[in-house]
Amino acid sequence: MAKVSVGLRGWRFEESEIFTDEGEFKPLDEIPEDPRQRLLRLSLLVEKPCQACYLVHGDENIERCRQATIVYGEPLNEVVLCDQHEADFLYWFREAGGREFVGDELFRDEFQEWFADGGRAPDGYGGMEHVETDPENMPSPPDAQELQDRLNEEFEGERIDLRAYGPDADEADVGGDGDAETEADADDEDEPEELDLDGVDLGREYPRK
């Protein structure tokens, strides 16, 4: 079956799992759990700046940050990068010990610390070659509001807050069992949808030598 990227390169989806025969996104409750979680997360990542650019420019010059084009890692612990900084990530992963953090909750933090300390790929480091047959028509995920509306419709009686999947989400925002917790949820008896990441293969989409 064909695999496609949605919104950003990196995470790959089986077309048949997320699209109907007409090329529309399936209802969320018809999408398997792992791709559904990634699709939800992508809806909040597609317009974010490259994390490496942000470490260079910060909030003061955020307009100088390039928009992310690729994602590595797992939901809530991913690294999003522009084309120019992808080689730095790949060098860290392959040559500077990054591979040992696959499946570790510090995966993203370790890369950011290495980069902030001056870690860079050597000049001319090749990185990866990507083949895009139709980059202008790369499908985009539904935006966050549309997904939120779909969730509220499809999981009647349950309150699911997409902010738990946002780029600033951290362990303080996510319960130990994966449930999103907000002040609104604390005041409400309804429980958000449980996210089980235990079965995710954390090494399957990573670049190899």
Side-chain angles (χ1 to χ4, degrees):
M1 294 221 176
K3 287 189 176 242
V4 295
S5 293
V6 176
L8 299 174
R9 290 185 286 106
W11 290 347
R12 305 280 285 171
F13 298 86
E14 292 284 356
E15 281 190 284
S16 61
E17 289 184 341
I18 64 172
F19 292 115
T20 66
D21 292 339
E22 293 74 31
E24 300 293 333
F25 280 99
K26 289 183 175 181
L28 287 175
D29 60 355
E30 295 181 14
I31 298 176
E33 183 178 15
D34 180 36
R36 185 176 69 219
Q37 291 168 359
R38 291 173 186 267
L39 187 62
L40 288 167
R41 185 66 173 160
L42 277 170
S43 72
L44 297 174
L45 294 175
V46 290
E47 295 184 356
K48 296 303 176 185
C50 165
Q51 291 173 6
C53 286
Y54 183 81
L55 289 172
V56 173
H57 301 296
D59 281 326
E60 299 80 4
N61 297 293
I62 195 169
E63 71 280 354
R64 299 181 62 184
C65 297
R66 289 179 286 264
Q67 186 171 324
T69 57
I70 189 162
V71 56
Y72 287 111
E74 294 300 312
L76 297 177
N77 195 19
E78 67 282 305
V79 177
V80 293
L81 302 155
C82 64
D83 293 337
Q84 289 85 341
H85 282 124
E86 183 184 9
D88 295 320
F89 171 85
L90 294 174
Y91 180 81
W92 169 78
F93 185 86
R94 296 166 172 169
E95 315 292 345
R99 191 185 300 275
E100 69 181 85
F101 296 103
V102 171
D104 193 301
E105 62 185 9
L106 296 177
F107 178 81
R108 175 176 57 193
D109 293 342
E110 289 292 333
F111 168 72
Q112 291 182 346
E113 182 176 342
W114 175 83
F115 187 89
D117 285 343
R120 300 291 188 275
D123 290 343
Y125 186 75
M128 293 182 68
E129 293 184 3
H130 298 280
V131 177
E132 295 182 1
T133 57
D134 196 2
E136 296 301 321
N137 289 321
M138 182 184 294
S140 297
D143 63 28
Q145 186 59 54
E146 182 180 350
L147 286 170
Q148 180 76 75
D149 292 343
R150 288 191 192 183
L151 284 168
N152 288 337
E153 291 174 0
E154 295 172 14
F155 296 92
E156 185 175 356
E158 301 184 38
R159 298 181 68 254
I160 301 170
D161 192 343
L162 288 183
R163 288 174 297 179
Y165 297 85
D168 298 323
D170 55 30
E171 292 181 358
D173 299 319
V174 180
D177 60 356
D179 288 345
E181 295 182 359
T182 66
E183 292 182 4
D185 294 328
D187 296 332
D188 195 301
E189 294 183 357
D190 293 332
E191 292 292 334
E193 183 191 22
E194 182 175 348
L195 301 177
D196 182 6
L197 298 178
D198 291 341
V200 177
D201 182 355
L202 294 170
R204 70 183 180 197
E205 295 294 346
Y206 289 89
R208 301 290 180 186
K209 289 186 178 179

